[in-house]
Amino acid sequence: MSTARMDEGGRWLGIYVIAYLIFLYLPVLLIPLFSINDSIQAAFPLQGFTLQWYATLLGNSALSSALLNSLVIGAIAATGATLCGITVSYMDLYGRSPLSATISAIARLPILIPGVIVGISLLILVNLIGLGPSRIAIVLGHILVALPTTVVIMRSRFAAIPKTIPEAALDLGASDWTTFRRVMLPLSLPAIISAFMLAFLISFDEFIVVFFLAGTEPTLPLYIWSQLRFPKSLPTVMALGTSILAVSFVIAGTAELVRHRGLGATRPSAK
């Protein structure tokens, strides 16, 4: 293939990527724009600049209750998913059981299952065991949804640690548990923090599973969905959505930064 044809192909690929990104993110970028528009209509032309929709977020008791529920559920679910992710990924790489790889694959399977199917299945399960739609049911569902992310992050981190390090600890007389607790976990701390942050973000933003499992205490995504029935609440919802977007970008960016720094810490330097 000639250089000219390669350059032309690269140019068309660049145009396609730019068009795809615009199609994907332009609707998201419109939310912050309309959140400062002095009109309840999400339409052009804009009527003026205002921050009153953000001011309406303050002092809203229903919003505060939903936010608190999301924060509590997110923290508990992220902790559970991170602990399970650490265990499953370490067992996959260093376990001696023939079922290790199978368990790891099953733990990552929920990411391939449609959210509606997961929600219906969990609803049937919690009803069978007597929990019913409740905060506990939501936590269990969020752990299941966030588990694939924590497994992928922790597995890549454990795989990046040279195997000579745990082997040296074992040769010096350390037990498997001591090696895991005093060697592998400290070296994996950045990935653990990253996995926790991303699992919290997944739990905080999850809607479909919560829709099936929520009882009398809605989370923030359910609160937003309930407000969409009222046209006058649309600007307030967009202001809330903008705030969530900003916080989500910060959390996701920080998690990736921490994870990459952790990977670079054990990467052998070139001499």
Side-chain angles (χ1 to χ4, degrees), residues 70-79 81-82 142 146 150 194-206 247 251:
S70 288
L71 292 175
V72 172
I73 291 172
I76 298 175
T79 301
T82 303
H142 283 192
T150 60
S194 177
F196 176 86
M197 295 176 70
L198 292 179
F200 175 84
L201 196 58
I202 292 172
S203 172
F204 189 84
D205 295 335
E206 176 59 39
V247 174
I251 293 177

Side-chain angles (χ1 to χ4, degrees), residues 155-174:
R155 193 182 187 283
S156 64
R157 178 55 181 155
F158 286 136
I161 298 176
K163 290 193 174 183
T164 54
I165 294 179
E167 288 173 356
L170 293 172
D171 289 341
L172 292 173

Side-chain angles (χ1 to χ4, degrees), residues 49-128:
F49 175 81
T50 181
L51 294 177
Q52 64 172 318
W53 312 122
Y54 289 90
T56 59
L57 299 178
L58 304 176
N60 188 326
S61 59
L63 171 59
S64 300
S65 177
L67 175 60
L68 180 61
N69 284 335
S70 288
L71 292 175
V72 172
I73 291 172
I76 298 175
T79 301
T82 303
L83 291 175
C84 292
I86 292 171
T87 305
V88 171
S89 56
Y90 189 80
M91 180 182 63
D92 184 18
L93 290 173
Y94 295 97
R96 300 180 179 88
S97 171
L99 295 177
S100 300
T102 303
I103 294 175
S104 178
I106 293 174
R108 287 174 283 179
L109 187 61
I111 201 172
L112 303 176
I113 302 176
V116 174
I117 303 301
V118 174
I120 295 174
S121 301
L122 290 174
L123 178 60
I124 295 174
L125 176 63
V126 296
N127 284 332
L128 287 176

